[in-house]
PDB file of all heavy atoms in Angstrom:
ATOM      1  N   ALA A1278      14.429 -22.805   0.248  1.00 98.00           N
ATOM      2  CA  ALA A1278      15.503 -21.984  -0.337  1.00 98.00           C
ATOM      3  C   ALA A1278      15.803 -22.352  -1.789  1.00 98.00           C
ATOM      4  O   ALA A1278      16.940 -22.414  -2.215  1.00 98.00           O
ATOM      5  CB  ALA A1278      16.759 -22.109   0.516  1.00 98.00           C
ATOM      6  N   ARG A1279      14.759 -22.601  -2.553  1.00 98.00           N
ATOM      7  CA  ARG A1279      14.963 -22.801  -3.996  1.00 98.00           C
ATOM      8  C   ARG A1279      14.793 -21.457  -4.680  1.00 98.00           C
ATOM      9  O   ARG A1279      13.680 -20.982  -4.892  1.00 98.00           O
ATOM     10  CB  ARG A1279      13.934 -23.781  -4.564  1.00 98.00           C
ATOM     11  CG  ARG A1279      14.330 -25.178  -4.309  1.00 98.00           C
ATOM     12  CD  ARG A1279      13.666 -26.174  -5.229  1.00 98.00           C
ATOM     13  NE  ARG A1279      14.221 -27.466  -4.892  1.00 98.00           N
ATOM     14  CZ  ARG A1279      15.044 -28.146  -5.680  1.00 98.00           C
ATOM     15  NH1 ARG A1279      15.346 -27.694  -6.879  1.00 98.00           N
ATOM     16  NH2 ARG A1279      15.536 -29.288  -5.285  1.00 98.00           N
ATOM     17  N   TYR A1280      15.912 -20.836  -4.981  1.00 98.00           N
ATOM     18  CA  TYR A1280      15.875 -19.479  -5.524  1.00 98.00           C
ATOM     19  C   TYR A1280      15.971 -19.499  -7.041  1.00 98.00           C
ATOM     20  O   TYR A1280      16.673 -20.326  -7.617  1.00 98.00           O
ATOM     21  CB  TYR A1280      17.031 -18.655  -4.956  1.00 98.00           C
ATOM     22  CG  TYR A1280      17.041 -18.590  -3.448  1.00 98.00           C
ATOM     23  CD1 TYR A1280      18.174 -18.912  -2.722  1.00 98.00           C
ATOM     24  CD2 TYR A1280      15.883 -18.228  -2.752  1.00 98.00           C
ATOM     25  CE1 TYR A1280      18.181 -18.861  -1.336  1.00 98.00           C
ATOM     26  CE2 TYR A1280      15.881 -18.186  -1.367  1.00 98.00           C
ATOM     27  CZ  TYR A1280      17.027 -18.506  -0.670  1.00 98.00           C
ATOM     28  OH  TYR A1280      17.016 -18.457   0.696  1.00 98.00           O
ATOM     29  N   ALA A1281      15.301 -18.552  -7.672  1.00 98.00           N
ATOM     30  CA  ALA A1281      15.434 -18.403  -9.118  1.00 98.00           C
ATOM     31  C   ALA A1281      16.863 -17.965  -9.435  1.00 98.00           C
ATOM     32  O   ALA A1281      17.457 -17.179  -8.698  1.00 98.00           O
ATOM     33  CB  ALA A1281      14.437 -17.364  -9.626  1.00 98.00           C
ATOM     34  N   ASP A1282      17.389 -18.484 -10.535  1.00 97.00           N
ATOM     35  CA  ASP A1282      18.766 -18.214 -10.932  1.00 97.00           C
ATOM     36  C   ASP A1282      18.871 -16.799 -11.504  1.00 97.00           C
ATOM     37  O   ASP A1282      18.202 -16.475 -12.477  1.00 97.00           O
ATOM     38  CB  ASP A1282      19.150 -19.257 -11.994  1.00 97.00           C
ATOM     39  CG  ASP A1282      20.572 -19.073 -12.505  1.00 97.00           C
ATOM     40  OD1 ASP A1282      21.238 -18.093 -12.093  1.00 97.00           O
ATOM     41  OD2 ASP A1282      21.000 -19.911 -13.321  1.00 97.00           O
ATOM     42  N   PRO A1283      19.738 -15.959 -10.903  1.00 95.00           N
ATOM     43  CA  PRO A1283      19.848 -14.593 -11.427  1.00 95.00           C
ATOM     44  C   PRO A1283      20.340 -14.549 -12.874  1.00 95.00           C
ATOM     45  O   PRO A1283      20.110 -13.565 -13.580  1.00 95.00           O
ATOM     46  CB  PRO A1283      20.863 -13.923 -10.489  1.00 95.00           C
ATOM     47  CG  PRO A1283      21.496 -15.012  -9.695  1.00 95.00           C
ATOM     48  CD  PRO A1283      20.571 -16.190  -9.725  1.00 95.00           C
ATOM     49  N   ALA A1284      21.000 -15.628 -13.323  1.00 94.00           N
ATOM     50  CA  ALA A1284      21.508 -15.633 -14.698  1.00 94.00           C
ATOM     51  C   ALA A1284      20.456 -16.140 -15.688  1.00 94.00           C
ATOM     52  O   ALA A1284      20.699 -16.166 -16.895  1.00 94.00           O
ATOM     53  CB  ALA A1284      22.757 -16.509 -14.776  1.00 94.00           C
ATOM     54  N   ASP A1285      19.303 -16.543 -15.199  1.00 96.00           N
ATOM     55  CA  ASP A1285      18.271 -17.102 -16.084  1.00 96.00           C
ATOM     56  C   ASP A1285      17.448 -15.970 -16.688  1.00 96.00           C
ATOM     57  O   ASP A1285      16.260 -15.820 -16.402  1.00 96.00           O
ATOM     58  CB  ASP A1285      17.386 -18.061 -15.268  1.00 96.00           C
ATOM     59  CG  ASP A1285      16.400 -18.807 -16.150  1.00 96.00           C
ATOM     60  OD1 ASP A1285      16.536 -18.725 -17.392  1.00 96.00           O
ATOM     61  OD2 ASP A1285      15.498 -19.450 -15.601  1.00 96.00           O
ATOM     62  N   GLY A1286      18.103 -15.175 -17.519  1.00 93.00           N
ATOM     63  CA  GLY A1286      17.445 -13.986 -18.050  1.00 93.00           C
ATOM     64  C   GLY A1286      17.468 -13.919 -19.564  1.00 93.00           C
ATOM     65  O   GLY A1286      17.414 -12.838 -20.136  1.00 93.00           O
ATOM     66  N   THR A1287      17.558 -15.072 -20.228  1.00 93.00           N
ATOM     67  CA  THR A1287      17.503 -15.063 -21.688  1.00 93.00           C
ATOM     68  C   THR A1287      16.090 -15.388 -22.139  1.00 93.00           C
ATOM     69  O   THR A1287      15.522 -16.387 -21.715  1.00 93.00           O
ATOM     70  CB  THR A1287      18.489 -16.105 -22.270  1.00 93.00           C
ATOM     71  OG1 THR A1287      19.789 -15.797 -21.794  1.00 93.00           O
ATOM     72  CG2 THR A1287      18.480 -16.071 -23.791  1.00 93.00           C
ATOM     73  N   GLY A1288      15.535 -14.530 -22.953  1.00 95.00           N
ATOM     74  CA  GLY A1288      14.178 -14.754 -23.459  1.00 95.00           C
ATOM     75  C   GLY A1288      13.095 -14.275 -22.516  1.00 95.00           C
ATOM     76  O   GLY A1288      11.915 -14.244 -22.855  1.00 95.00           O
ATOM     77  N   GLY A1289      13.476 -13.907 -21.302  1.00 96.00           N
ATOM     78  CA  GLY A1289      12.511 -13.418 -20.310  1.00 96.00           C
ATOM     79  C   GLY A1289      13.278 -12.856 -19.128  1.00 96.00           C
ATOM     80  O   GLY A1289      14.494 -13.061 -19.007  1.00 96.00           O
ATOM     81  N   GLY A1290      12.582 -12.143 -18.261  1.00 96.00           N
ATOM     82  CA  GLY A1290      13.238 -11.555 -17.091  1.00 96.00           C
ATOM     83  C   GLY A1290      13.598 -12.631 -16.067  1.00 96.00           C
ATOM     84  O   GLY A1290      12.960 -13.684 -16.012  1.00 96.00           O
ATOM     85  N   ALA A1291      14.620 -12.373 -15.248  1.00 97.00           N
ATOM     86  CA  ALA A1291      15.043 -13.367 -14.258  1.00 97.00           C
ATOM     87  C   ALA A1291      14.107 -13.379 -13.047  1.00 97.00           C
ATOM     88  O   ALA A1291      13.805 -14.425 -12.504  1.00 97.00           O
ATOM     89  CB  ALA A1291      16.469 -13.080 -13.809  1.00 97.00           C
ATOM     90  N   TYR A1292      13.660 -12.196 -12.624  1.00 98.00           N
ATOM     91  CA  TYR A1292      12.833 -12.073 -11.412  1.00 98.00           C
ATOM     92  C   TYR A1292      13.408 -12.897 -10.275  1.00 98.00           C
ATOM     93  O   TYR A1292      12.701 -13.631  -9.588  1.00 98.00           O
ATOM     94  CB  TYR A1292      11.381 -12.477 -11.699  1.00 98.00           C
ATOM     95  CG  TYR A1292      10.570 -11.394 -12.376  1.00 98.00           C
ATOM     96  CD1 TYR A1292       9.998 -11.589 -13.625  1.00 98.00           C
ATOM     97  CD2 TYR A1292      10.376 -10.166 -11.757  1.00 98.00           C
ATOM     98  CE1 TYR A1292       9.260 -10.584 -14.247  1.00 98.00           C
ATOM     99  CE2 TYR A1292       9.642  -9.163 -12.372  1.00 98.00           C
ATOM    100  CZ  TYR A1292       9.088  -9.387 -13.612  1.00 98.00           C
ATOM    101  OH  TYR A1292       8.365  -8.392 -14.206  1.00 98.00           O
ATOM    102  N   ASN A1293      14.716 -12.759 -10.077  1.00 97.00           N
ATOM    103  CA  ASN A1293      15.374 -13.520  -9.008  1.00 97.00           C
ATOM    104  C   ASN A1293      15.260 -12.780  -7.679  1.00 97.00           C
ATOM    105  O   ASN A1293      15.143 -11.553  -7.644  1.00 97.00           O
ATOM    106  CB  ASN A1293      16.837 -13.755  -9.368  1.00 97.00           C
ATOM    107  CG  ASN A1293      17.554 -12.451  -9.672  1.00 97.00           C
ATOM    108  OD1 ASN A1293      17.169 -11.746 -10.605  1.00 97.00           O
ATOM    109  ND2 ASN A1293      18.554 -12.124  -8.895  1.00 97.00           N
TER     110      ASN A1293
END
Side-chain angles (χ1 to χ4, degrees):
R1279 279 201 177 250
Y1280 303 128
D1282 179 356
D1285 187 10
T1287 302
Y1292 280 120
N1293 55 299

